[in-house]
Amino acid sequence: MKRLALLLTTVSLSAFLVPATPASAETYPEAVLRYTNYERGKAGVSPLKLSFCMRDQFAGPWAKHLAATRTLVHQSLTPMMSRCHGNAAAENIASGNWTPQQMVNAWMNSQGHRKNLLNPSYNYIGIGAVRGSDGHVYGVQDFLHQ
């Protein structure tokens, strides 16, 4: 029982820890979520929970679209709120030859993106990331308040 309690404590704390080296089994979107929640933790903001609705219906497909068209444009937030049952939404997009940490750092260094990322009213996120034929990763963070 003590071992289980220690494991649960370690797992819950790990959401805010950033390892010195990237985890090899971690996907790009998982790493973006980890770094995003690390930044939120530093700011005293609750971590975001993954929304499969936001990821599968919006962030993932939109990242594919951005990579295919090599553009950076936002999608409409209204369908996110209705399909994923939210009452507020926001989106961060980016493109570059970046690691997940560099992408989150770029958002943190942009006033509007930082505001979305650290907004305490958002409690869910969907993340998409696709490497385009130009070699850049097209990343999408879709935030939702439920």
Side-chain angles (χ1 to χ4, degrees):
M1 188 66 172
K2 288 181 183 178
R3 183 179 226 182
L4 179 59
L6 179 60
L7 177 62
L8 291 175
T9 302
T10 304
V11 170
S12 64
L13 289 175
S14 68
F16 293 105
L17 301 176
V18 178
T21 59
S24 60
E26 188 174 56
T27 67
Y28 197 102
E30 289 168 341
V32 167
L33 177 60
R34 181 169 48 84
Y35 288 115
T36 296
N37 279 335
Y38 173 75
E39 293 295 341
R40 287 173 67 91
K42 286 190 333 188
V45 180
S46 297
L48 295 163
K49 294 172 254 175
L50 178 64
S51 164
F52 294 102
C53 177
M54 295 289 282
R55 181 192 70 187
D56 298 343
Q57 293 187 38
F58 298 100
W62 197 247
K64 288 179 187 172
H65 169 78
L66 296 177
T69 59
R70 294 185 185 182
T71 58
L72 281 179
V73 295
H74 289 282
Q75 61 187 314
S76 174
L77 303 177
T78 304
M80 291 179 201
M81 291 184 286
S82 62
R83 286 191 213 158
C84 299
H85 311 289
N87 55 25
E91 179 171 79
N92 287 347
I93 58 176
S95 169
N97 191 15
W98 295 330
T99 66
Q101 184 175 16
Q102 289 169 325
M103 185 167 284
V104 172
N105 287 343
W107 283 323
M108 288 297 291
N109 289 320
S110 163
Q111 184 178 359
H113 294 102
R114 179 186 181 91
K115 183 178 175 184
N116 288 340
L117 200 145
L118 298 180
N119 187 327
S121 72
Y122 297 126
N123 51 358
Y124 287 93
I125 189 169
I127 301 169
V130 175
R131 187 169 300 278
S133 60
D134 58 0
H136 290 180
V137 176
Y138 290 79
V140 177
Q141 289 183 312
D142 286 326
F143 302 92
L144 186 72
H145 175 261
Q146 283 187 326

